[in-house]
Amino acid sequence: MINLRKDQTKAMVAVHGWSGILLGLLLYAVVLTGTAAVFAHEIGAWSAGHVATRSSFAQPVDATLRRLTDQTPARYREAVNIWETGDHGLGVFFHRHETGADGVPTEAGVFYQLDHQGRVLNATTGNIDDLFGPRNDDALSTFLVDTHVRLHVPNPWGLVLTGILGLAMLVAAVSGLLIHRHLFKDIFTLRRRAKPVLATRDMHSVAGTWSLPFAFVLAFTGSFFSFYGTVGLPVVAAAAFSGDVEALQHAVFGNPGTPDPRATPAGNLDRITSDAIRRTGEVPTFVAIENFGRADATVTSYHNPRSGDLEPVALLYNGATAAFIRAKPQVGAQPSAGGTLVGIMGPLHFGNFAGMLSKAIWFGLGFAMCYVTFTGMRLWVIRRRDDARSLIWLERTVTVVGHGLPLGLVVAAAAFLVTMPLGTAVYWTTTAFLIAAAAAILAGVLARSNDRLTLLLKGATGVVMLSLPVLRLLVAGGPGWAEAISGGQPVIAALDLAFVIAGVWLVRGSLNTAPRVAPARAARLDPVEA
């Protein structure tokens, strides 16, 4: 039991309410897209019909790297980054470090995109800011991640905005905890037969309390990622490295040693990757080669956390001899508590530390946070509706965002499936979302009541969800369930089934509720429906 004086409780209620309502709509958007982005990789495989399951790093890549080296201009062979793209293809980026016209460190070079058989699909030359945009086959998953990370606001302001939203979540979580005078009683209290507002408040309290630890983790790690590059690095660089961010990054993440610029053939990359897989039990997620083609070359192989661990693994190899050197800390040259803390930020935020199990848990907790955010805003409006008739439009706004955002996301998915075969998915995925958002806003203005608006948006979302498996199979030409499962991608069938179940639930709920909705209820808030 948390004991606060009456005036303190009143202040905490005010802080909790205003922190939620002022940034709640944006926070809801970030959390909802983040919940979907937990399965961004799986959604990418489902939407693009990826059925290759063998990692490119689990097969020979050294010969491919040497072939690409021969056709890459020498000025771009300072360093090489290698990672998987698309349907277990490879992305290979030969680059050199430069300073842009604005004085900010950057990288320029040649980026090769290869399929899982090592064939070059595309080669582009330019600056890092121009090379790594969304591709036609991953436009949907990239759209989800970009919306979650920065709400499509230009850098660095998008990251600053989502960082502020993370802090707002922390404020709401702490104040929400403090206003629960009977915390352990409230988390088990569900008065289902009470008035709709009371029942909704109980569900809001239960969902919010049970997901409170997750809210702390999500808010803290999200704020860390948002402010790390936009505020943290520049401030530390200004204080300790005379503003040289590149020097700071080299000191913190680089590999100290005596420079040896002698030209030396690169060691066998296949030997490095096979040894790294043997040591970690996981294929690399990223391979970075520094001082490529020199005697002091180093290769760092990055891996997901080992089973039962939270911290990702990085292994350091001699780039000239392919010999293993040591396990590399995430930060600094020696293991430290700070380095471990930084290392676990990613797995804790994205929930990818225990495979599908942790992702499923993070998805469920993220959905609970969406529910808590949405119902919190609705309850805030309900309590003040009699005092200010103008809050009716705030109610409409909450409904448009709360139910219109899921509609926009599934419409974007449908547009991707239709336009991916045409090669225009990058444009139409975002455009379709904006069109759906505009339609939801228009419906919010024209709907005769908030009840009708809610039914319209939920029903439309359900109908589009039901169409997604059909579009994926018949229009996008994706694999059938038998082919996907036999190819080791059961997630394709699982997502199809999930969309069908969710679509049926939404459409059925809208049809069952429609007869009870009358225009006379336009001036009254209905029970909050998730």
Side-chain angles (χ1 to χ4, degrees):
M1 179 176 179
I2 301 174
N3 291 313
L4 294 177
R5 298 196 309 269
K6 184 176 180 180
D7 59 328
Q8 292 176 327
T9 300
K10 185 176 180 180
M12 283 296 102
V13 171
V15 168
H16 183 72
W18 282 106
S19 65
I21 203 64
L22 289 177
L23 296 173
L25 295 175
L26 290 175
L27 181 60
Y28 173 81
V30 170
V31 176
L32 180 62
T33 53
T35 300
V38 167
F39 287 106
H41 177 75
E42 289 74 16
I43 291 174
W46 167 83
S47 59
H50 293 164
V51 293
T53 56
R54 188 185 182 194
S55 170
S56 289
F57 289 114
Q59 52 191 343
V61 295
D62 184 78
T64 299
L65 179 63
R66 295 182 188 276
R67 172 168 51 89
L68 296 177
T69 301
D70 293 338
Q71 63 189 65
T72 302
R75 66 181 182 276
Y76 293 134
R77 299 180 196 170
E78 179 181 311
V80 186
N81 293 340
I82 310 172
W83 65 97
E84 287 195 298
T85 65
D87 196 8
H88 284 292
L90 274 184
V92 182
F93 182 39
F94 288 83
H95 62 278
R96 67 180 181 184
H97 301 288
E98 296 181 348
T99 300
D102 54 0
V104 177
T106 185
E107 296 171 357
V110 183
F111 174 50
Y112 299 95
Q113 293 176 256
L114 300 89
D115 63 16
H116 65 279
Q117 295 180 344
R119 295 172 297 197
V120 176
L121 302 176
N122 189 31
T124 51
T125 302
N127 187 278
I128 190 173
D129 298 324
D130 305 321
L131 294 177
F132 300 114
R135 305 187 312 273
N136 184 65
D137 66 335
D138 74 346
L140 179 59
S141 57
T142 300
F143 172 79
L144 290 174
V145 173
D146 196 47
T147 304
H148 171 66
V149 171
R150 60 185 183 92
L151 293 171
H152 294 279
V153 176
N155 286 326
W157 306 113
L159 291 172
V160 172
L161 177 58
T162 52
I164 293 173
L165 293 174
L167 295 179
M169 180 185 288
L170 279 176
V171 171
V174 172
S175 56
L177 174 65
L178 294 176
I179 64 178
H180 281 86
R181 300 182 62 86
H182 303 284
L183 180 63
F184 294 104
K185 177 182 177 181
D186 289 345
I187 62 177
F188 297 105
T189 300
L190 280 175
R191 293 168 289 186
R192 296 185 177 276
R193 297 184 179 181
K195 293 181 179 181
V197 172
L198 292 177
T200 300
R201 188 174 66 182
D202 287 346
M203 294 178 67
H204 173 83
S205 297
V206 169
T209 305
W210 280 105
S211 60
L212 191 60
F214 175 73
F216 277 112
V217 171
L218 188 68
F220 181 79
T221 55
S223 296
F224 170 83
F225 284 121
S226 293
F227 290 133
Y228 170 74
T230 57
V231 178
L233 283 181
V235 168
V236 175
F241 292 86
S242 301
D244 191 340
V245 176
E246 185 174 0
L248 168 62
Q249 291 178 325
H250 180 73
V252 174
F253 301 107
N255 300 308
T258 303
D260 188 351
R262 291 176 299 160
T264 303
N268 190 291
L269 186 61
D270 293 336
R271 176 182 170 187
I272 292 175
T273 55
S274 61
D275 182 78
I277 293 173
R278 180 182 62 81
R279 292 176 183 272
T280 64
E282 297 280 347
V283 296
T285 58
F286 191 85
V287 173
I289 307 176
E290 293 292 331
N291 300 328
F292 183 65
R294 293 177 23 165
D296 58 352
T298 58
V299 179
T300 307
S301 179
Y302 296 89
H303 303 256
N304 285 324
R306 292 186 177 91
S307 178
D309 198 0
L310 281 177
E311 186 176 8
V313 180
L315 302 179
L316 184 65
Y317 291 83
N318 185 304
T321 65
F324 174 73
I325 300 176
R326 58 184 171 85
K328 177 178 167 57
Q330 297 295 313
V331 175
Q334 299 296 328
S336 65
T340 299
L341 181 61
V342 171
I344 67 176
M345 287 288 184
L348 285 178
H349 187 75
F350 298 107
N352 57 2
F353 54 88
M356 292 298 293
L357 176 61
S358 59
K359 285 188 175 185
I361 294 173
W362 252 235
F363 179 86
L365 291 172
F367 186 83
M369 286 304 306
C370 292
Y371 179 82
V372 169
T373 305
F374 180 57
T375 55
M377 291 185 290
R378 293 291 302 274
L379 290 169
W380 192 93
V381 172
I382 289 173
R383 293 188 61 181
R384 290 156 182 80
R385 184 181 171 280
D386 293 336
D387 299 330
R389 298 284 297 177
S390 60
L391 288 181
I392 291 177
W393 286 104
L394 180 57
E395 170 198 356
R396 292 283 184 107
T397 302
V398 170
T399 301
V400 166
V401 175
H403 295 299
L405 181 58
L407 174 62
L409 294 178
V410 295
V411 168
F416 172 86
L417 294 172
V418 172
T419 59
M420 184 187 65
L422 304 176
T424 57
V426 172
Y427 173 79
W428 280 108
T429 299
T430 302
T431 301
F433 174 82
L434 295 176
I435 293 173
I441 294 172
L442 183 62
V445 174
L446 300 179
R448 297 171 61 184
S449 71
N450 190 66
D451 295 338
R452 291 181 180 273
L453 175 63
T454 300
L455 290 178
L456 175 63
L457 295 178
K458 292 176 65 175
T461 302
V463 170
V464 177
M465 279 187 167
L466 288 173
S467 73
L468 291 180
V470 178
L471 293 175
R472 183 194 66 78
L473 186 63
L474 300 182
V475 179
W481 285 14
E483 180 184 354
I485 293 174
S486 63
Q489 287 285 25
V491 68
I492 293 178
L495 284 175
D496 275 348
L497 189 59
F499 283 127
V500 169
I501 293 174
V504 169
W505 178 69
L506 288 171
V507 171
R508 182 178 179 182
S510 299
L511 293 176
N512 290 341
T513 307
R516 300 196 299 270
V517 175
R521 298 176 60 191
R524 184 175 68 84
L525 240 73
D526 64 327
V528 179
E529 298 174 334

